[in-house]
Amino acid sequence: MSTDRTILLPTFGSAGDVNPFLVLGRELQGRGNRVIVITNPHFEQTVVESGLAFMGVGSEQDYLDVIENPDLWHPTRSFYVMAENAILRIMRDVYKLLIDFDPATTTIAAPGIIFGARLAHETHGFPYATVQLQPSVTRSAYDTPVQGSMAFPGWTPPAFKRAWFG
């Protein structure tokens, strides 16, 4: 089976974020799609060795700035490390890479925090799928994930949790 469809898989983070996209990419490629993984150059060799095409965004130093930052594992400061050094830093570059493709023949599948992908979808009409790897970012008033040191006791009423999220 052969198609002219290109699937773009922009992602970032650790190997735990990139590797699931490699599995997804190989499956999509096996179905006849052209697949390009877009991530930090730190993972270029891994992507290429998996048999997928690679496009880099950011620099090796950008990756190191995040993983070597001691606040990455702090319960309240980790979000700011990720937001400033990863999420916002690559937003424009991801967007610029994606809009060079044709929305008529290209689909984007990305984590929800890859804002450049979402923006390309909204401004250029790319078909888009959110791929969520971390269940902890899925809100639930019944089985609420633990966020850092923030945890609701099991007896907390769902109505209270919904109000808290609001």
Side-chain angles (χ1 to χ4, degrees), residues 7-29 35-39 46-47 50 52-53 108-114 117 128-134:
I7 310 290
L8 302 176
L9 301 175
T11 188
F12 72 90
S14 67
D17 296 292
V18 174
N19 287 336
F21 277 83
L22 301 182
V23 174
L24 176 61
R26 285 193 302 267
E27 181 64 29
L28 291 167
Q29 186 169 273
V35 177
I36 303 171
V37 176
I38 302 169
T39 192
T46 304
V47 172
S50 76
L52 300 171
I108 301 169
I113 58 175
I114 304 289
Y128 174 83
T130 300
V131 179
Q132 196 55 270
L133 301 176
Q134 297 86 359

Side-chain angles (χ1 to χ4, degrees), residues 41 53 67 102 110-111 113 119 127 145:
I67 66 164
D102 180 3
I113 58 175
L119 189 58

Side-chain angles (χ1 to χ4, degrees), residues 8 12 21 30 33 36 39 45 54 61 65-66 72-73 96-97 112-113 139 141 143 145 156-157 159 166:
L8 302 176
F12 72 90
F21 277 83
N33 298 288
I36 303 171
T39 192
Q45 182 176 349
F54 170 83
Q61 189 59 51
D65 287 347
V66 174
L72 179 62
W73 302 108
K96 287 179 181 178
L97 284 175
I113 58 175
R139 289 185 178 179
D143 190 11
T156 307

